[in-house]
Amino acid sequence: MYRSHSCGELRESDINKTVTLAGWVQKSRDKGFMVWVDLRDRYGVTQLIFDEERTSTEIIEKAKSLGREFVIQVTGEVIERVSKNDKIPTGGIEVLVSELTILNESKLPPFTIENDTDGGEDIRMKYRYLDIRRNPVKDSLVFRHKVTMEVRKYLSEKSFIEIETPYLIKSTPEGARDFVVPSRMNEGQFYALPQSPQTFKQLLMVGGMDKYFQIVKCFRDEDLRADRQPEFTQIDCEMTFVEQEDILNTFEGLTRHLLKEINGVEVDKFPRMLYDDAMRLYGNDKPDIRFGMQFGEMNEVAKHKDFNVFNQAELVVGIAVPGGNAYTRKQIDNLIKWVKRPQIGALGMVYCRVNEDGSFKSSVDKFYDQDDLTKWAEVTGAKPGDLICVLSGETNKVRAQLSALRMHLAEELGLRKPDEFAPLWVVDFPLLELDEETGHYHAMHHPFTSPKPGQLELLDSKPGEVKANAYDLVLNGNEIGGGSIRIHDKETQQIMLKHLGFSDEEAKAQFGFLMDAFEYGAPPHGGIAFGLDRLVAILAGQETIRDFIAFPKNNSGRDVMIDAPAPLDEEQLKELNIKLDM
Amino acid sequence: MYRSHSCGELRESDINKTVTLAGWVQKSRDKGFMVWVDLRDRYGVTQLIFDEERTSTEIIEKAKSLGREFVIQVTGEVIERVSKNDKIPTGGIEVLVSELTILNESKLPPFTIENDTDGGEDIRMKYRYLDIRRNPVKDSLVFRHKVTMEVRKYLSEKSFIEIETPYLIKSTPEGARDFVVPSRMNEGQFYALPQSPQTFKQLLMVGGMDKYFQIVKCFRDEDLRADRQPEFTQIDCEMTFVEQEDILNTFEGLTRHLLKEINGVEVDKFPRMLYDDAMRLYGNDKPDIRFGMQFGEMNEVAKHKDFNVFNQAELVVGIAVPGGNAYTRKQIDNLIKWVKRPQIGALGMVYCRVNEDGSFKSSVDKFYDQDDLTKWAEVTGAKPGDLICVLSGETNKVRAQLSALRMHLAEELGLRKPDEFAPLWVVDFPLLELDEETGHYHAMHHPFTSPKPGQLELLDSKPGEVKANAYDLVLNGNEIGGGSIRIHDKETQQIMLKHLGFSDEEAKAQFGFLMDAFEYGAPPHGGIAFGLDRLVAILAGQETIRDFIAFPKNNSGRDVMIDAPAPLDEEQLKELNIKLDM
């Protein structure tokens, strides 16, 4: 045993005890006749003291030789500190060292091991094992563990069983994003890594397991947009003999439990919003409802005059920015520039100031009079002192643009408070989504999602309007979970696959086992999957997930620390019966 | 909500309640005027009753149409059973059905969904979702969940943090057994799936995480010996600032906790045995110590006469079979045949009966007199009524043979009781192991295992004799966990890798990141990994792991249910920049 206590443990009640500690040298101060060392481990920091009067010359000399991040073991007496530090729990004491062993030396780290480090992203990733020593990363990993333990405890208590599903599975039609694995024993054949355990959890329901969950890695080989990882973790869940309402209640319970246990926040029943309403009111299927600024659709109050930009637009839509009338002309110009950036893509922005006296001043006064603008204010809910921002164009695009503007403004106005939690169920998602490139419909959730009762018939005539038993859980403007009630009969599944463009042969080859299973007493079932990386980040009040992953990959899917992926040698390729084709 | 209660829940206290149940038709009995149906779900079986007097004609007709494994929902009144079944918890009641809905039909299952099914291994694997409905499989999966929850709770309470390490890593020198994954984004480069998270958990220790665990899938692409899986699960653990003693105590605590919570068995301090003693006394590094039959080495009492078979052998070694004198000549001949099977490979077996009067009768009476045989009995601990079995030959081989015989006899004698638990630490493993094929030494545990203090110097002169800080936890003759104290300084690691045949370049290419890490304040650390699949099976008193894995693969590494692995199409290969080379 290298230590009697951790570095976060000693208090004034331990004074006079002889203790042994081990840890890393956080920093040292050498006053010549006296040396202080901050000794750090996962649990905290304890101040060590060496002085000429009470410490042997040999030891004080050794203490003076200690560099940052040296690993040492010390024995000494806990004494009261002269100048206490009430910022840390051990701040009332220090350890007067009588024995000092250097367990390992350290080269000077390439960046400082401090909360605010001088190291950039790249160097910290290369030396991730040093980055992890920093509190922001260390605490994030500990936090993640706490969340997963609470998830497991809660679900276990609700009779859910964690079941491991296989990682070496079969490539699926969305195979373009599958990672594949050549099999040595089955020449010329490949496994695929799961994008999710979807079909397996459904088979577990067919198998009568009733309530399943799994915290599980999933894999997707695709261009990594910001803050995505090729391997990511889901809390994957499925239940039998349930309707949508049962799923929502169960996982609302889980989320409420986490908010309470982890964040100490009590949340009432989660509000629910139709997908269509979310799109209409927030331009987005994952609205942040910590603040208002709902969209006002303005076609009726804006398309009756000679302003052609609006008249030609499919949708004219605005938001009221609280207190926005205080913006200078320059600030407003910057907003206009912001929405015109290629990432947002608006062609322009109309605005209207609502003066404190209730009068209006718009950028389109030439076309709209005070009566018109009064209606704009009504539609957008603008009050004296606000600014109305109006975008127009093709419905889907303009909604996305105004949604981005809304979030941007809320960020600037400090309305997205990290310690406030506003969960929301978005329900009744469309079953299908039009791929604008190919002109084909594909499953918005996945091919196993059931349409709402009675809507199967619409598949031929109005595929875009068919609603699904599908739902997302949104927290503070992020989708943290999504799921659906599944199809559980072979016929419906066949119809769905046909509509998604699978031939009978393809359907059989890819999902034959699932459809076979549906013929042997498949029960009604449904589920949900949470993105754990993001959930944890949001619960911690953060927006980026990287600090919550011990060894993340960069945007090229590389682990720069171990330098993977890497080439294989010829012999290894030969054994796998593959060769490069570049 | 499809149900008010589960099928395992209703008791006599529920009589007169109106309830709704959903589940599968286990079986039905149609007496014409009366129909009984056993309704099953994960939680149990409830008897449903339909009769002419109390049930509508329509419903009773529908009940008669129900086939095995149909999924139904019923509403009815809980009534007292006329003839109670005290073998099941719901045996005091039945439900008089007033409403019946068929939620899904079922084709006739290809095998019976019973504890003892008529289905063979192959068909059950193909229809694993039906196999899972059977109690032996279902209960095994629930049991596994219970074990993993207890592991997580125990380790969390001891300040261990579960941290996910990456699945997409870099191929290692034991690469011949790596599964690899071509990267689409990094042309011509490959990830590998981890055989274990070994280096990552060590980096977490360098990163100061102090106490880590993870229940994690590992992968090994090798010919599957019986009861091995290409993907398997480990409880992977690592601790900082520990010596071997600390690791043994910590994980003895975990194992004791599991035995108590899961099996209700209290076990005292686990015995410890040196590797050398285990080999000498049991011929095996994972001895089953639920019973005796220790080896007696007999060179001194058997090589002094004219019996050349013994005189020419490196080792003569015997065991006393309790009560074995009762064996007939034919039974003994069968034992001799058994050890001569190619799987065991002995050339023959000498035996000696110990009569009740203390006299001896051996198969080599021509060479050995009663005084000699008295010594044989002393050395093997044989008592009157026992049978001494003696094998001879090259030490390693004869130990393995006698060990196999010992286990075989214990099995036959009923000495391997599934409800008895005999854990054992085997310690001081050799650092290196001679590969008889190549004549090279390789790491017995892995290249990161530290030699015992002061033994590094022996590496050049007597590599086979160097002992490691390595230990195995053995339970009932199975290795359930193994680990070591790791090397934590660059120099020692370099020496080790050199001795394992790595050139400096190879060492740097493969483990450069780890040796770099050792230069930045690496603390002393060590750990252990448990094979979860086997641990769970053994705790459940089983020897095969397949029923404890939801979707296992067969001996060719195939999932016959989903038919994986499978060929990829040309386009997909092209995108991955590889082609087949067969």
Side-chain angles (χ1 to χ4, degrees), chain A residues 133 164 189 191 233 520 557 565, chain B residues 133 164 189 191 233 520 557 565:
Chain A
R133 289 187 194 159
E164 295 175 53
Q189 300 191 23
Y191 302 100
T233 307
Y520 289 98
Chain B
R133 290 187 194 159
E164 295 175 53
Q189 300 192 23
Y191 302 99
T233 307
Y520 289 100

Side-chain angles (χ1 to χ4, degrees), chain A residues 1-3 22-24 42-43 69 71 104-108 110 129-130 132-133 144-145 149 152 156 159-171 175-176 178-186 188-191 200 203-204 206-211 217 219 221-222 231 233 240-243 246 488 513 517 519-524 532 550-551 553 556-558 561-566 568 572-574 576-582, chain B residues 1-3 22-24 42-43 69 71 104-108 110 129-130 132-133 144-145 149 152 156 159-171 175-176 178-182 184-186 188-191 200 203-204 206-211 217 219 221-222 224 231 233 240-243 246 488 513 517 519-524 532 550-551 553 556-558 561-566 568 572-574 576-582:
Chain A
M1 194 68 91
Y2 279 85
R3 61 189 169 191
W24 287 262
R42 190 183 104 197
Y43 312 94
E69 302 305 317
V71 185
N104 214 343
E105 300 192 350
S106 175
K107 295 207 292 196
L108 192 70
Y129 46 87
L130 298 179
I132 288 173
R133 289 187 194 159
R144 182 183 179 115
H145 169 68
M149 273 309 291
R152 288 191 158 104
S156 288
S159 299
F160 282 80
I161 301 293
E162 185 161 18
I163 301 175
E164 295 175 53
T165 53
Y167 278 92
L168 297 172
I169 65 165
K170 190 172 171 169
S171 193
D178 276 344
F179 283 107
V180 302
V181 183
S183 165
R184 188 173 278 119
M185 277 200 286
N186 300 271
Q189 300 191 23
F190 294 77
Y191 302 100
F200 289 96
L203 291 172
L204 288 172
V206 176
M209 290 311 297
D210 205 68
K211 291 179 179 177
K217 274 278 176 76
F219 303 86
D221 190 5
E222 62 186 346
E231 49 177 308
T233 307
T240 294
F241 297 126
V242 288
E243 290 156 341
D246 305 312
H488 68 279
F513 62 96
E519 293 194 295
Y520 289 98
L532 178 67
F551 300 101
K553 294 190 170 57
S556 315
R558 294 199 69 81
M561 180 185 70
I562 61 170
D563 194 25
L568 293 184
Q572 215 171 340
L573 290 172
K574 189 89 202 156
L576 294 165
N577 307 299
I578 56 173
K579 54 186 170 188
L580 299 183
D581 178 25
M582 295 168 26
Chain B
M1 195 67 93
Y2 280 84
R3 60 189 170 192
W24 286 262
R42 191 184 104 196
Y43 311 94
E69 302 304 318
V71 185
N104 214 344
E105 299 191 351
S106 174
K107 296 206 293 195
L108 192 70
Y129 46 87
L130 298 179
I132 287 174
R133 290 187 194 159
R144 182 183 179 114
H145 169 67
M149 273 308 292
R152 288 191 158 104
S156 288
S159 298
F160 283 80
I161 302 292
E162 185 161 17
I163 301 175
E164 295 175 53
T165 52
Y167 278 91
L168 296 171
I169 66 165
K170 190 171 170 171
S171 194
D178 276 344
F179 283 107
V180 302
V181 182
R184 188 173 279 118
M185 279 200 285
N186 300 271
Q189 300 192 23
F190 294 77
Y191 302 99
F200 288 96
L203 291 173
L204 288 172
V206 176
M209 290 311 297
D210 205 68
K211 291 180 178 177
K217 273 279 173 76
F219 304 86
D221 191 6
E222 61 186 347
L224 297 171
E231 48 178 308
T233 307
T240 294
F241 297 126
V242 288
E243 290 156 340
D246 306 312
H488 68 280
F513 62 96
E519 293 194 295
Y520 289 100
L532 178 66
F551 299 102
K553 294 191 171 55
S556 314
R558 295 198 69 81
M561 180 185 70
I562 61 170
D563 194 24
L568 294 183
Q572 214 171 341
L573 291 172
K574 189 87 202 158
L576 294 164
N577 307 300
I578 55 174
K579 54 186 171 186
L580 298 184
D581 178 26
M582 296 170 20

Side-chain angles (χ1 to χ4, degrees), chain A residues 136 139-140 143-144 147 227 258-259 262-263 265 288 290 411 416-422 475-476 478 480 532-545 547-548:
Chain A
D139 292 344
S140 297
F143 183 86
R144 182 183 179 115
V147 172
D227 215 26
L258 293 178
L259 286 168
I262 304 289
N263 298 89
V265 174
D288 190 339
R290 280 176 294 183
E411 199 72 64
R416 306 194 66 197
K417 299 186 185 126
D419 56 348
E420 199 175 301
F421 293 94
L475 184 58
N476 295 0
N478 295 279
I480 58 166
L532 178 67
D533 305 305
R534 187 153 312 279
L535 173 64
V536 169
I538 292 168
L539 290 177
Q542 309 273 325
E543 294 263 322
T544 57
I545 62 176
D547 279 354
F548 296 86

Side-chain angles (χ1 to χ4, degrees), chain B residues 464-480:
Chain B
E465 289 184 19
V466 178
K467 297 294 185 205
N469 282 315
Y471 32 82
D472 273 0
L473 183 54
V474 175
L475 184 58
N476 294 0
N478 295 279
E479 179 208 327
I480 58 166

Side-chain angles (χ1 to χ4, degrees), chain A residues 68 72 88 107 131 222 245 262 305 339 466 502 518 541:
Chain A
R68 282 204 282 135
I72 62 171
I88 59 171
K107 295 207 292 196
D131 201 26
E222 62 186 346
E245 188 63 25
I262 304 289
K305 291 292 172 70
V339 298
V466 177
F502 287 82
F518 286 171

